[in-house]
Amino acid sequence: MDMVDLILTVCLITNPGNCRDEHLYFESRGSLVQCMVLAPSEIAKWSQEHPTLKVKRWKCAFPNKDRAI
């Protein structure tokens, strides 16, 4: 199964300089367009589950083949 990676750069609300990347994986249907369409609702859900973090930016990409999912 091919996957697409929604990469969130998230920062602590109390310390905006403390940031890290989070990866959310979805089944790919052949393009990154689907990820771009689904991303806002998934980001909103993720944000509700992580109230101490703020999503600073996001992007869609195909996962690195060497990365374990």
Side-chain angles (χ1 to χ4, degrees), residues 12-65:
L12 285 172
I13 290 175
T14 58
N15 184 2
N18 187 355
C19 302
R20 68 175 191 261
D21 286 342
E22 290 284 331
H23 297 261
L24 306 178
Y25 296 98
F26 301 95
E27 182 179 349
S28 172
R29 292 201 169 60
S31 77
L32 296 178
V33 174
Q34 178 189 15
C35 176
M36 299 296 286
V37 171
L38 295 174
S41 63
E42 293 299 322
I43 292 167
K45 281 190 250 181
W46 189 93
S47 294
Q48 285 182 329
E49 295 169 2
H50 301 86
T52 61
L53 297 169
K54 179 178 181 177
V55 177
K56 187 170 184 174
R57 66 179 151 267
W58 60 272
K59 66 181 179 179
C60 293
F62 290 111
N64 182 337
K65 297 289 184 196

